[in-house]
Structures are given as structure tokens and as C-alpha cells.
Amino acid sequence: MNLTLKRLLGVTAAVTMGAAALLGAGAGTAGAASRAHCDRAEQDMWSSGPSRNLTGHRCSIPNNKQRWYTIEIDTLVQTHYKRDTLDGGVVRTETLHNRTVRCMGYTSSNGRVNWFGCPPS
């Protein structure tokens, strides 16, 4: 076999193995977000955009601690404010059904779950 052909096959094999390793690592992190479910949640909507926090009610929270949580919400109530403060008044409320959001973490007390670090979707 020609030396150039051997080198070409060696490079092709190395690239293929590297791509497979990267795809395998990506597949492991793709499912890293734990799933949660809330019957109802509220989110404030400011003039500058949505709040990064949600308040959930009747939520099931996974036992394992993860960096990201995927929350399936049956009813999401968004309160739209005139400005970026509560004293600006409410413009409207909007009720959305069957929404999915991702959040970085949560705290819970008195039957409520406060999800935080939820980027707009």
C-alpha cells in the first residue's frame, strides 16, 4: 500500500473515532436535565421581558439533583406589568396551557416551588 494512502486512512480513522467520542459525550449530557411537572405556575412579565423566576404549585420534583430542570406546566399564568416594578400596575394576565420551561434550580416551602434561572423560551 502506498504511504500516502496509509496516512490518509489513518487520518480518516482518527477523525471518525474523535467524532464518535464527541457524539457519545454529547449524548450523555443531552438527557442531563431532570423532568419535573407542575399543575399550575405563575410568571411575572415586565416591560423589559419575562422574569427568570416561576412560582409552581402542586409540583412533582425529581429526586436527583441536576444542573437543569425541564418543567412541564399544565397551566401557566403570566402577569404583564406596565413597568419593571410592581407599583406600575398590571396591564393584563395571560393564561397558557401545556408549556415546557427549563430552569437552573429551585427552592420549596409551604407547598410552593420557586423555580429560578429560567431563560425565556
Side-chain angles (χ1 to χ4, degrees):
M1 212 191 257
N2 184 339
L3 182 60
T4 305
L5 184 59
K6 285 183 181 179
R7 287 182 180 164
L8 183 62
L9 287 174
V11 168
T12 303
V15 168
T16 303
M17 290 171 52
L22 288 174
L23 286 175
T29 58
S34 291
R35 290 214 170 272
H37 176 268
C38 292
D39 289 342
R40 178 182 167 85
E42 293 101 25
Q43 182 180 31
D44 293 329
M45 305 294 284
W46 310 108
S47 62
S48 61
S51 170
R52 303 302 192 261
N53 300 330
L54 297 171
T55 301
H57 304 278
R58 294 182 302 279
C59 297
S60 63
I61 301 171
N63 291 335
N64 55 343
K65 300 287 185 188
Q66 293 289 333
R67 174 136 179 110
W68 286 95
Y69 295 90
T70 301
I71 304 105
E72 296 170 355
I73 302 169
D74 292 340
T75 304
L76 175 61
V77 178
Q78 294 180 329
T79 304
H80 294 261
Y81 292 94
K82 291 181 184 175
R83 292 183 289 210
D84 288 339
T85 59
L86 293 174
D87 62 351
V90 174
V91 176
R92 71 181 190 281
T93 59
E94 188 175 3
T95 302
L96 306 171
H97 299 283
N98 301 320
R99 296 293 178 184
T100 302
V101 296
R102 288 175 51 95
C103 298
M104 286 188 70
Y106 68 90
T107 59
S108 61
S109 65
N110 299 328
R112 289 189 314 190
V113 179
N114 298 308
W115 298 98
F116 59 85
C118 310
S121 53

